[in-house]
Amino acid sequence: DIVKEIDIFQVNEKVRLIISKEKPEYTSNDFCAHGYIFYEKLQNNKYISLISLYGLIAKITSDEGILKKGILNMMDHVYLCIRKS
């Protein structure tokens, strides 16, 4: 159940977000999934990037877009991990 896998963090807990083409190291205390970046658009001076994690959609808001910066390309297979600090 993916909801139980994600519901491992506390409000105001410091975490580190990793988006990578390579599978990062992680533990059972972290959330890690893989999928594809499929959308990016500038809205209200912020970039909205969407990553499909096979049913779960992760929305990333940033000052500089992931695709715009050239870090990743549309439809790249990526790993998204949230690690406890």
Side-chain angles (χ1 to χ4, degrees), residues 14-36:
K14 292 189 181 211
V15 297
R16 181 173 179 214
L17 175 67
I18 299 167
I19 300 171
S20 173
K21 287 184 181 182
E22 306 296 323
K23 186 175 183 177
E25 291 184 25
Y26 63 96
T27 69
S28 60
N29 293 325
D30 307 320
F31 170 78
C32 206
H34 64 98
Y36 295 89

Side-chain angles (χ1 to χ4, degrees), residues 1-45:
D1 186 6
I2 198 158
V3 174
K4 289 180 184 175
E5 289 182 43
I6 296 172
D7 193 23
I8 58 173
F9 303 102
Q10 304 299 316
V11 174
N12 297 323
E13 182 175 14
K14 292 189 181 211
V15 297
R16 181 173 179 214
L17 175 67
I18 299 167
I19 300 171
S20 173
K21 287 184 181 182
E22 306 296 323
K23 186 175 183 177
E25 291 184 25
Y26 63 96
T27 69
S28 60
N29 293 325
D30 307 320
F31 170 78
C32 206
H34 64 98
Y36 295 89
I37 184 162
F38 70 95
Y39 174 91
E40 184 170 274
K41 186 173 182 178
L42 182 63
Q43 293 180 345
N44 301 323
N45 296 320

Side-chain angles (χ1 to χ4, degrees), residues 17-20 31-34 51 53 58 60 78-82:
L17 175 67
I18 299 167
I19 300 171
S20 173
F31 170 78
C32 206
H34 64 98
I51 300 173
L53 303 171
I60 310 298
V78 297
Y79 292 88
L80 183 140
C81 295
I82 304 169

Side-chain angles (χ1 to χ4, degrees), residues 19 21 35-42 47-52 58 65-78:
I19 300 171
K21 287 184 181 182
Y36 295 89
I37 184 162
F38 70 95
Y39 174 91
E40 184 170 274
K41 186 173 182 178
L42 182 63
Y47 282 92
I48 306 298
S49 306
L50 298 180
I51 300 173
S52 172
I66 298 169
L67 300 178
K68 179 74 173 169
K69 275 187 86 171
I71 297 169
L72 297 170
N73 296 307
M74 187 69 70
M75 293 306 294
D76 274 353
H77 179 259
V78 297

